[in-house]
Every structure is written in structure tokens, then in C-alpha cells.
Amino acid sequence: MRKMMIVAALLAAVVSMKAQVKFTVSGKAVSETGTLIFGDITKNQPIDTIEVKNGVFHYEGNAPEKAFLCFIDSETRTRSFFIVDCENITIDMNDDKASGSPLNDRLTAMVQQSNAMMKELRTIWATRSKTENPDSIAYYEKKYEELCENWLDMLRQTIRENQDNPIAAYALSELMNEIDYEELKGYVESGAPYLEHPLCDRPKKRLASLELRQPGKMFIDLVEDDVDGNPHHLSEYVGKGNYVLVDFWASWCGPCMAEMPNVKACYDKYKEKGFNVVGLSFDRNKEAWVDCIKKNELDWVHLSDLKFWQTVAAKTYGINSIPSSILCDGTGKIVALDLRDKSLREKLAEIYGF
């Protein structure tokens, strides 16, 4: 299942991220008291903290023009976004509403639509998870897939309709992990004005990472330690005549662990045919990594240098989000990437004939 977990005008119309502008935010919080984290989603880092009193908050500051900023409730993790394009901005975190300019009104419409679709997706998946009837499971999975595609189409439409402003940059940053290499390349290489926004650094990096592991390329060797601290080359396992799934994961990664039963089922089904899995972990705590392997009976090859996002695996293969994977054939050539859930099962069934 595809995890959820999601663009001309003249270049002169593109937002300038150099000019600092003053702005004031008056807002309603989700709680009567507490603390909000104020941050820049372009840089993915906090800027300040704001105190909530009687359910409201106030903030004055300076930021680059057209920056994407957000408030995050430190307890509920509720988030509200806005664009710095006017002096006075109003935020209502209860319904994800930002107002003060036509651009923020348009952003609010997109975010609210996206949130409603995500809520429906979670409901469908929760219902699917509670049923054991095969027909019902198939029904809800099909419904989930259809709504996923509707969400992606909404993001695509948002990009088409906002070529000259940063809303398209935000939509592409949501879409980038859910589309294939060719579609992402089409967006990044389109030359559209919104691509000048710093938020588009993310899809540009994503494209560069995908280029390192496109089907048809040979795997790249690396060295990491096993759970006993012994170093191993990836080439000890890949390119030895059998198909190998190189799985980029971590014990702390929720989506990775949600996918792990599927990987295990595929490994158990095809291991007698020579299929192997090599897990390259992004862990930094050895005890947590080893315990996770033992607890979940992940009985395949595991390697890590315990360097978190600085791991050699990330640098070698351009991995900037997990779970991720490459499937290599017996020669070490990459034949598929980022296969999950049904797509992994279908690919292996195609390879092995059952």
C-alpha cells in the first residue's frame, strides 16, 4: 500500500527570499494555555516559542518574504501554516485557517482539503485493519487507493494553478515522495517560477537521490558492521546470482516497522529460492537496533555504522527519507526501488512465478 502517511509566469514574479519583512500574527490556539513552537518549514527548524493565554497568542517578527512558517502546539502537535506576504496575519489553529492575504486564503483552502482527505484515509485504513473478511479487505484497500490517487491529483492541480507562487512549492514538497522518478523529474526540470523558492530544495534533492538508484544502474558497494561489530561489504551479498532487497530502515522509524511484516513475509516465502534481504539501518543506538531485530525475528543480513542520517548508506544512495529500498537482480543491477506492501509482493511474484 502506498504509505501516507503529498506548476508560467515571468521569473520576476517569483518570490524573493532575500528581503526581510515585518509581520504580526494574531491567533487562536487549540488549548487555553500552553506553548507553541514557531518554525520555518523550509529549514525544518524552530525559531521561537510562544505562550498561549486564554486560548489566544500573538507574535511579531521578521522573516524572508514569502517564507513558509508554522506554529506547532507542543502538546497536541497540531500545526498551522502561513505565508509571509502581508503585514497582519490571522491564524486559527482549530480549523487550519490562515488569512490576511489572497495567497494565505488559497493556502488554507488547499491545506483544509488535504487534511480532510488524510482524515478519510486514516478512517478507511482503520476500518480495513479491523476486518478479517477478504472481500471487505479488498474493498477498503481499493477505496484507499482511489482516495490516495485523488489526493495526489489534488496536489498536481494545485501545482498547475500556482506556477508563480510558493503554494506550488509546498504542494510539490508533499507530492515528491509519492510519485515516480519521471514525474518528479518533469516538475523539477520544468523551469517553472515557483522552483526558485527554497522549499523546492527538497524535491530537487529527492530527484538527485533517485538518480543514484534508478533501475538499470548497478548497485554501489559500501562497508558497514554487522550486529557483532564485524565489517562487511554489501558486495558480499549483492551480485552473487540471487535477487536481493536492500532495505534502508531504522528501529525508530514507524513507517519502516509498519512495513517490516510485509518484508518478513516475502523473505520467508522466497528465501528457499535464493531471495535475500540486507537491512542497512539508520539507527544510532546499537542496543535498540539489535533488540528490534531479535524481537521482530528479522532473520536476514543486518548492517549499520550507527551514524543516524550521516550513515554511509544515506550518502552512498542519496537516501533522505525512510523506509526506502532497492531490489537488485543476480548481477547486482537495480531492477526496482521503493517497493512496499503490495508492490513488493507483486514484483517478487512476477520474478519467482508464485
Side-chain angles (χ1 to χ4, degrees), residues 221-242:
D221 202 9
L222 55 80
V223 180
E224 291 189 331
D225 291 350
D226 62 19
V227 295
D228 296 318
N230 301 310
H232 291 273
H233 284 80
L234 184 59
S235 56
E236 294 176 40
Y237 314 101
V238 180
K240 300 299 183 182
N242 295 309

PDB file of all heavy atoms in Angstrom, residues 221-242:
ATOM      1  N   ASP A 221      28.826  -0.381  -3.958  1.00  0.00           N
ATOM      2  CA  ASP A 221      29.302  -1.104  -2.786  1.00  0.00           C
ATOM      3  C   ASP A 221      29.579  -0.152  -1.628  1.00  0.00           C
ATOM      4  O   ASP A 221      29.856   1.049  -1.815  1.00  0.00           O
ATOM      5  CB  ASP A 221      30.579  -1.873  -3.140  1.00  0.00           C
ATOM      6  CG  ASP A 221      30.836  -3.041  -2.189  1.00  0.00           C
ATOM      7  OD1 ASP A 221      29.947  -3.357  -1.381  1.00  0.00           O
ATOM      8  OD2 ASP A 221      31.922  -3.638  -2.279  1.00  0.00           O
ATOM      9  N   LEU A 222      29.495  -0.667  -0.432  1.00  0.00           N
ATOM     10  CA  LEU A 222      29.814   0.084   0.779  1.00  0.00           C
ATOM     11  C   LEU A 222      30.179  -0.914   1.873  1.00  0.00           C
ATOM     12  O   LEU A 222      29.988  -2.119   1.715  1.00  0.00           O
ATOM     13  CB  LEU A 222      28.642   0.972   1.205  1.00  0.00           C
ATOM     14  CG  LEU A 222      27.264   0.325   1.414  1.00  0.00           C
ATOM     15  CD1 LEU A 222      27.137  -0.361   2.774  1.00  0.00           C
ATOM     16  CD2 LEU A 222      26.174   1.374   1.303  1.00  0.00           C
ATOM     17  N   VAL A 223      30.689  -0.412   2.976  1.00  0.00           N
ATOM     18  CA  VAL A 223      31.090  -1.254   4.095  1.00  0.00           C
ATOM     19  C   VAL A 223      30.435  -0.753   5.376  1.00  0.00           C
ATOM     20  O   VAL A 223      30.510   0.431   5.703  1.00  0.00           O
ATOM     21  CB  VAL A 223      32.621  -1.273   4.294  1.00  0.00           C
ATOM     22  CG1 VAL A 223      32.999  -2.160   5.469  1.00  0.00           C
ATOM     23  CG2 VAL A 223      33.321  -1.735   3.027  1.00  0.00           C
ATOM     24  N   GLU A 224      29.781  -1.671   6.094  1.00  0.00           N
ATOM     25  CA  GLU A 224      29.225  -1.375   7.408  1.00  0.00           C
ATOM     26  C   GLU A 224      29.375  -2.609   8.293  1.00  0.00           C
ATOM     27  O   GLU A 224      29.662  -3.709   7.794  1.00  0.00           O
ATOM     28  CB  GLU A 224      27.746  -0.969   7.312  1.00  0.00           C
ATOM     29  CG  GLU A 224      27.537   0.381   6.658  1.00  0.00           C
ATOM     30  CD  GLU A 224      26.093   0.857   6.775  1.00  0.00           C
ATOM     31  OE1 GLU A 224      25.171   0.009   6.848  1.00  0.00           O
ATOM     32  OE2 GLU A 224      25.896   2.073   6.784  1.00  0.00           O
ATOM     33  N   ASP A 225      29.168  -2.424   9.583  1.00  0.00           N
ATOM     34  CA  ASP A 225      29.340  -3.533  10.532  1.00  0.00           C
ATOM     35  C   ASP A 225      28.042  -4.307  10.741  1.00  0.00           C
ATOM     36  O   ASP A 225      26.945  -3.750  10.655  1.00  0.00           O
ATOM     37  CB  ASP A 225      29.797  -2.996  11.887  1.00  0.00           C
ATOM     38  CG  ASP A 225      31.220  -2.460  11.848  1.00  0.00           C
ATOM     39  OD1 ASP A 225      31.909  -2.682  10.828  1.00  0.00           O
ATOM     40  OD2 ASP A 225      31.625  -1.808  12.833  1.00  0.00           O
ATOM     41  N   ASP A 226      28.194  -5.593  11.061  1.00  0.00           N
ATOM     42  CA  ASP A 226      27.033  -6.386  11.438  1.00  0.00           C
ATOM     43  C   ASP A 226      26.753  -6.179  12.927  1.00  0.00           C
ATOM     44  O   ASP A 226      27.413  -5.365  13.596  1.00  0.00           O
ATOM     45  CB  ASP A 226      27.238  -7.863  11.087  1.00  0.00           C
ATOM     46  CG  ASP A 226      28.404  -8.502  11.832  1.00  0.00           C
ATOM     47  OD1 ASP A 226      28.854  -7.957  12.870  1.00  0.00           O
ATOM     48  OD2 ASP A 226      28.880  -9.566  11.379  1.00  0.00           O
ATOM     49  N   VAL A 227      25.804  -6.906  13.474  1.00  0.00           N
ATOM     50  CA  VAL A 227      25.408  -6.704  14.877  1.00  0.00           C
ATOM     51  C   VAL A 227      26.510  -7.085  15.857  1.00  0.00           C
ATOM     52  O   VAL A 227      26.481  -6.671  17.021  1.00  0.00           O
ATOM     53  CB  VAL A 227      24.119  -7.497  15.192  1.00  0.00           C
ATOM     54  CG1 VAL A 227      22.941  -6.962  14.394  1.00  0.00           C
ATOM     55  CG2 VAL A 227      24.309  -8.984  14.939  1.00  0.00           C
ATOM     56  N   ASP A 228      27.486  -7.851  15.394  1.00  0.00           N
ATOM     57  CA  ASP A 228      28.613  -8.239  16.252  1.00  0.00           C
ATOM     58  C   ASP A 228      29.808  -7.319  16.086  1.00  0.00           C
ATOM     59  O   ASP A 228      30.862  -7.552  16.689  1.00  0.00           O
ATOM     60  CB  ASP A 228      29.029  -9.678  15.950  1.00  0.00           C
ATOM     61  CG  ASP A 228      27.937 -10.683  16.289  1.00  0.00           C
ATOM     62  OD1 ASP A 228      27.312 -10.522  17.354  1.00  0.00           O
ATOM     63  OD2 ASP A 228      27.695 -11.601  15.485  1.00  0.00           O
ATOM     64  N   GLY A 229      29.669  -6.290  15.264  1.00  0.00           N
ATOM     65  CA  GLY A 229      30.754  -5.344  15.058  1.00  0.00           C
ATOM     66  C   GLY A 229      31.742  -5.733  13.982  1.00  0.00           C
ATOM     67  O   GLY A 229      32.799  -5.099  13.861  1.00  0.00           O
ATOM     68  N   ASN A 230      31.410  -6.755  13.202  1.00  0.00           N
ATOM     69  CA  ASN A 230      32.308  -7.188  12.130  1.00  0.00           C
ATOM     70  C   ASN A 230      31.962  -6.477  10.830  1.00  0.00           C
ATOM     71  O   ASN A 230      30.792  -6.450  10.417  1.00  0.00           O
ATOM     72  CB  ASN A 230      32.183  -8.699  11.925  1.00  0.00           C
ATOM     73  CG  ASN A 230      32.508  -9.478  13.182  1.00  0.00           C
ATOM     74  OD1 ASN A 230      33.546  -9.243  13.811  1.00  0.00           O
ATOM     75  ND2 ASN A 230      31.642 -10.409  13.556  1.00  0.00           N
ATOM     76  N   PRO A 231      32.962  -5.898  10.136  1.00  0.00           N
ATOM     77  CA  PRO A 231      32.682  -5.169   8.893  1.00  0.00           C
ATOM     78  C   PRO A 231      32.361  -6.107   7.728  1.00  0.00           C
ATOM     79  O   PRO A 231      32.942  -7.191   7.615  1.00  0.00           O
ATOM     80  CB  PRO A 231      33.987  -4.408   8.646  1.00  0.00           C
ATOM     81  CG  PRO A 231      35.048  -5.246   9.302  1.00  0.00           C
ATOM     82  CD  PRO A 231      34.387  -5.838  10.518  1.00  0.00           C
ATOM     83  N   HIS A 232      31.433  -5.675   6.882  1.00  0.00           N
ATOM     84  CA  HIS A 232      31.055  -6.444   5.700  1.00  0.00           C
ATOM     85  C   HIS A 232      30.824  -5.516   4.519  1.00  0.00           C
ATOM     86  O   HIS A 232      30.289  -4.416   4.674  1.00  0.00           O
ATOM     87  CB  HIS A 232      29.773  -7.244   5.949  1.00  0.00           C
ATOM     88  CG  HIS A 232      29.931  -8.359   6.920  1.00  0.00           C
ATOM     89  ND1 HIS A 232      30.352  -9.618   6.546  1.00  0.00           N
ATOM     90  CD2 HIS A 232      29.731  -8.401   8.270  1.00  0.00           C
ATOM     91  CE1 HIS A 232      30.397 -10.398   7.615  1.00  0.00           C
ATOM     92  NE2 HIS A 232      30.032  -9.682   8.674  1.00  0.00           N
ATOM     93  N   HIS A 233      31.235  -5.962   3.348  1.00  0.00           N
ATOM     94  CA  HIS A 233      30.920  -5.257   2.111  1.00  0.00           C
ATOM     95  C   HIS A 233      29.518  -5.653   1.649  1.00  0.00           C
ATOM     96  O   HIS A 233      29.123  -6.826   1.771  1.00  0.00           O
ATOM     97  CB  HIS A 233      31.925  -5.605   1.007  1.00  0.00           C
ATOM     98  CG  HIS A 233      33.248  -4.935   1.148  1.00  0.00           C
ATOM     99  ND1 HIS A 233      34.222  -5.392   2.018  1.00  0.00           N
ATOM    100  CD2 HIS A 233      33.760  -3.837   0.530  1.00  0.00           C
ATOM    101  CE1 HIS A 233      35.289  -4.603   1.924  1.00  0.00           C
ATOM    102  NE2 HIS A 233      35.029  -3.643   1.032  1.00  0.00           N
ATOM    103  N   LEU A 234      28.787  -4.708   1.116  1.00  0.00           N
ATOM    104  CA  LEU A 234      27.482  -5.018   0.540  1.00  0.00           C
ATOM    105  C   LEU A 234      27.632  -6.023  -0.597  1.00  0.00           C
ATOM    106  O   LEU A 234      26.762  -6.860  -0.828  1.00  0.00           O
ATOM    107  CB  LEU A 234      26.810  -3.728   0.039  1.00  0.00           C
ATOM    108  CG  LEU A 234      25.388  -3.834  -0.503  1.00  0.00           C
ATOM    109  CD1 LEU A 234      24.436  -4.397   0.545  1.00  0.00           C
ATOM    110  CD2 LEU A 234      24.897  -2.458  -0.978  1.00  0.00           C
ATOM    111  N   SER A 235      28.771  -5.963  -1.268  1.00  0.00           N
ATOM    112  CA  SER A 235      29.041  -6.863  -2.394  1.00  0.00           C
ATOM    113  C   SER A 235      29.196  -8.324  -1.971  1.00  0.00           C
ATOM    114  O   SER A 235      29.233  -9.217  -2.813  1.00  0.00           O
ATOM    115  CB  SER A 235      30.294  -6.409  -3.134  1.00  0.00           C
ATOM    116  OG  SER A 235      31.409  -6.336  -2.258  1.00  0.00           O
ATOM    117  N   GLU A 236      29.284  -8.584  -0.680  1.00  0.00           N
ATOM    118  CA  GLU A 236      29.301  -9.976  -0.203  1.00  0.00           C
ATOM    119  C   GLU A 236      27.947 -10.648  -0.416  1.00  0.00           C
ATOM    120  O   GLU A 236      27.847 -11.876  -0.456  1.00  0.00           O
ATOM    121  CB  GLU A 236      29.663 -10.025   1.284  1.00  0.00           C
ATOM    122  CG  GLU A 236      31.082  -9.581   1.599  1.00  0.00           C
ATOM    123  CD  GLU A 236      31.342  -9.573   3.091  1.00  0.00           C
ATOM    124  OE1 GLU A 236      30.872 -10.514   3.775  1.00  0.00           O
ATOM    125  OE2 GLU A 236      32.008  -8.633   3.581  1.00  0.00           O
ATOM    126  N   TYR A 237      26.910  -9.823  -0.547  1.00  0.00           N
ATOM    127  CA  TYR A 237      25.551 -10.360  -0.633  1.00  0.00           C
ATOM    128  C   TYR A 237      24.856 -10.014  -1.948  1.00  0.00           C
ATOM    129  O   TYR A 237      23.993 -10.776  -2.397  1.00  0.00           O
ATOM    130  CB  TYR A 237      24.716  -9.814   0.530  1.00  0.00           C
ATOM    131  CG  TYR A 237      25.429  -9.876   1.852  1.00  0.00           C
ATOM    132  CD1 TYR A 237      26.033  -8.748   2.405  1.00  0.00           C
ATOM    133  CD2 TYR A 237      25.528 -11.077   2.550  1.00  0.00           C
ATOM    134  CE1 TYR A 237      26.703  -8.801   3.614  1.00  0.00           C
ATOM    135  CE2 TYR A 237      26.204 -11.147   3.764  1.00  0.00           C
ATOM    136  CZ  TYR A 237      26.795 -10.003   4.287  1.00  0.00           C
ATOM    137  OH  TYR A 237      27.476 -10.069   5.479  1.00  0.00           O
ATOM    138  N   VAL A 238      25.206  -8.899  -2.542  1.00  0.00           N
ATOM    139  CA  VAL A 238      24.551  -8.436  -3.765  1.00  0.00           C
ATOM    140  C   VAL A 238      25.427  -8.773  -4.972  1.00  0.00           C
ATOM    141  O   VAL A 238      26.647  -8.641  -4.927  1.00  0.00           O
ATOM    142  CB  VAL A 238      24.295  -6.916  -3.707  1.00  0.00           C
ATOM    143  CG1 VAL A 238      23.600  -6.434  -4.985  1.00  0.00           C
ATOM    144  CG2 VAL A 238      23.450  -6.560  -2.490  1.00  0.00           C
ATOM    145  N   GLY A 239      24.787  -9.198  -6.056  1.00  0.00           N
ATOM    146  CA  GLY A 239      25.521  -9.538  -7.269  1.00  0.00           C
ATOM    147  C   GLY A 239      26.099 -10.936  -7.235  1.00  0.00           C
ATOM    148  O   GLY A 239      27.048 -11.240  -7.962  1.00  0.00           O
ATOM    149  N   LYS A 240      25.525 -11.803  -6.413  1.00  0.00           N
ATOM    150  CA  LYS A 240      26.015 -13.171  -6.266  1.00  0.00           C
ATOM    151  C   LYS A 240      25.077 -14.203  -6.895  1.00  0.00           C
ATOM    152  O   LYS A 240      25.125 -15.376  -6.545  1.00  0.00           O
ATOM    153  CB  LYS A 240      26.212 -13.493  -4.781  1.00  0.00           C
ATOM    154  CG  LYS A 240      27.218 -12.581  -4.080  1.00  0.00           C
ATOM    155  CD  LYS A 240      28.599 -12.690  -4.712  1.00  0.00           C
ATOM    156  CE  LYS A 240      29.605 -11.834  -3.970  1.00  0.00           C
ATOM    157  NZ  LYS A 240      30.956 -11.887  -4.589  1.00  0.00           N
ATOM    158  N   GLY A 241      24.240 -13.752  -7.789  1.00  0.00           N
ATOM    159  CA  GLY A 241      23.393 -14.685  -8.527  1.00  0.00           C
ATOM    160  C   GLY A 241      21.945 -14.730  -8.097  1.00  0.00           C
ATOM    161  O   GLY A 241      21.118 -15.348  -8.774  1.00  0.00           O
ATOM    162  N   ASN A 242      21.605 -14.072  -6.979  1.00  0.00           N
ATOM    163  CA  ASN A 242      20.229 -14.090  -6.492  1.00  0.00           C
ATOM    164  C   ASN A 242      19.687 -12.676  -6.334  1.00  0.00           C
ATOM    165  O   ASN A 242      20.443 -11.704  -6.215  1.00  0.00           O
ATOM    166  CB  ASN A 242      20.151 -14.806  -5.138  1.00  0.00           C
ATOM    167  CG  ASN A 242      20.513 -16.269  -5.236  1.00  0.00           C
ATOM    168  OD1 ASN A 242      19.970 -16.980  -6.075  1.00  0.00           O
ATOM    169  ND2 ASN A 242      21.430 -16.716  -4.382  1.00  0.00           N
TER     170      ASN A 242
END
